[in-house]
Amino acid sequence: QVQLVESGGRLVQAGTSLRLSCTASGRTLGTTDMGWFRQAPGEEREFVAAIVGSGSGSYYSSSVEGRFSISRDNTKNTVYLQMNRLIPEDTAVYYCNKVIGKAPAWDDWGQGTQVTVSS
């Protein structure tokens, strides 16, 4: 059973950058398409970004396209989310998961990492 641990979230000022990490244990991620999701208070969890298993392709939600960049290091079993030009609307708990398209594929989620962007 895979266990996902997200980290890197914190309180930041609008306009700054942050990099999140998602490390998996119990399973090798090398051939798995992985994604990031986020959930703001009172909102549904939403898709943010995804990257294919080889790392050769990625896609994003329209709200983060051009500001966020997803990457992975399969030697470290880790997926990253580089977030630039952060805005208060990016405030949420961020999670990673296997993706099928823009949908999460695993039932189990990590604890997430809180990102708070102040104006």
Side-chain angles (χ1 to χ4, degrees):
Q1 182 176 356
V2 65
Q3 293 183 320
L4 302 167
V5 178
E6 299 91 351
S7 62
R10 61 184 177 91
L11 171 64
V12 296
Q13 294 277 342
T16 60
S17 299
L18 202 58
R19 188 175 84 155
L20 306 183
S21 299
C22 165
T23 300
S25 60
R27 180 186 180 123
T28 301
L29 297 181
T31 59
T32 303
D33 296 352
M34 293 294 295
W36 284 92
F37 298 81
R38 67 186 182 186
Q39 187 168 22
E43 302 288 335
E44 295 286 322
R45 196 171 315 192
E46 65 173 359
F47 169 80
V48 175
I51 186 167
V52 301
S54 65
S56 61
S58 59
Y59 46 99
Y60 302 86
S61 70
S62 58
S63 61
V64 307
E65 180 89 47
R67 298 188 298 120
F68 290 12
S69 177
I70 188 171
S71 62
R72 64 194 298 158
D73 185 339
N74 288 340
T75 67
K76 297 181 178 179
N77 228 29
T78 299
V79 179
Y80 303 98
L81 185 67
Q82 177 67 42
M83 306 186 294
N84 300 323
R85 303 197 307 277
L86 284 160
I87 59 178
E89 289 75 17
D90 295 320
T91 295
V93 179
Y94 285 72
Y95 304 86
C96 63
N97 202 317
K98 175 182 176 178
V99 294
I100 299 176
K102 295 182 179 180
W106 287 328
D107 292 332
D108 293 329
W109 294 84
Q111 84 289 347
T113 187
Q114 175 71 51
V115 173
T116 304
V117 184
S118 63
S119 58

